[in-house]
Amino acid sequence: PARLRATRRIHPTPALRATDMASLARLLDCGAVPSLERLDLSGKSLGDEGVRPVLDALARGACPLLRALGLGHDELGDASCVALAAMAAHPARARLEALDLSQNALSGSGVAALAGALARGGLPRLKSLQLYHTHLDTVGVEAVAESGKRGLRALESLSLHGNSFATAGVDALADALRGGAFPQLKRLVLP
């Protein structure tokens, strides 16, 4: 158990299945890995229901030292964005610096739910937000731009490439940047 308590990174094997996530969530919830800084579940095709137990555990404050959460290429949709919005609101998530949601099927309304939580001060230290190849539409990009006006003050990298949003989305980002949004932004990747 001492080695488990000192674990700083969890990157499960490819054999991890959605059915294993409830067990992982219980492990996180009970405080068995209090030093965990990086949780990378990317590429596991977990789906919304599979990842939900872990997101719920994080929303309850599990793993207060967590700095990076990888959920790329996990077949996630809007339900996961709503769960992430709840997670982002918990004070224990104040240390999270990197969130990867790339290569999932997220709609504008799902991303808008997450962006709303970020605009209200969720994930105040977030430096990297990966939303590339997520089917992000103009509504989602406009919501992200709006969140940068009121939150995401530490964001340094925003990846939106591989999405098909209209010029209005780019215009919303440009207007937000001109208005002082994302003051620390160093890298913006557009389609």
Side-chain angles (χ1 to χ4, degrees):
R3 285 181 58 198
L4 185 59
R5 293 186 61 74
T7 299
R8 295 191 185 279
R9 182 171 195 248
I10 294 178
H11 182 86
T13 68
L16 181 80
R17 296 166 302 189
T19 55
D20 300 322
M21 297 307 288
S23 297
L24 177 58
R26 283 191 297 278
L27 185 71
L28 301 177
D29 244 345
C30 76
V33 284
S35 300
L36 187 67
E37 294 179 356
R38 299 186 182 285
L39 178 58
D40 188 359
L41 302 174
S42 298
K44 308 295 186 246
S45 300
L46 300 170
D48 290 327
E49 290 305 312
V51 78
R52 184 64 189 245
V54 169
L55 295 180
D56 288 347
L58 295 174
R60 289 188 293 271
C63 307
L65 300 180
L66 191 68
R67 292 179 36 202
L69 179 59
L71 298 169
H73 208 283
D74 271 334
E75 298 179 10
L76 304 183
D78 292 344
S80 292
C81 285
V82 172
L84 283 161
M87 180 208 75
H90 195 284
R93 298 290 67 86
R95 292 180 184 256
L96 197 72
E97 296 177 354
L99 179 59
D100 180 3
L101 297 173
S102 62
Q103 300 180 22
N104 285 299
L106 311 177
S107 77
S109 62
V111 171
L114 176 57
L118 300 176
R120 291 186 296 277
L123 309 182
R125 293 186 188 164
L126 193 67
K127 292 181 181 181
S128 175
L129 180 58
Q130 304 299 312
L131 292 170
Y132 61 88
H133 293 284
T134 56
H135 307 281
L136 190 61
D137 60 13
T138 303
V139 171
V141 173
E142 289 172 341
V144 170
E146 187 64 29
S147 72
K149 295 177 184 177
R150 295 179 280 148
L152 294 176
R153 308 309 289 169
L155 195 70
E156 295 177 0
S157 177
L158 176 61
S159 294
L160 302 171
H161 62 282
N163 292 301
S164 298
F165 47 85
T167 305
V170 176
D171 291 344
L173 280 169
D175 289 344
L177 289 166
R178 275 193 294 274
F182 311 113
Q184 301 300 316
L185 195 66
K186 296 176 177 120
R187 181 175 182 264
L188 173 62
V189 184
L190 297 171

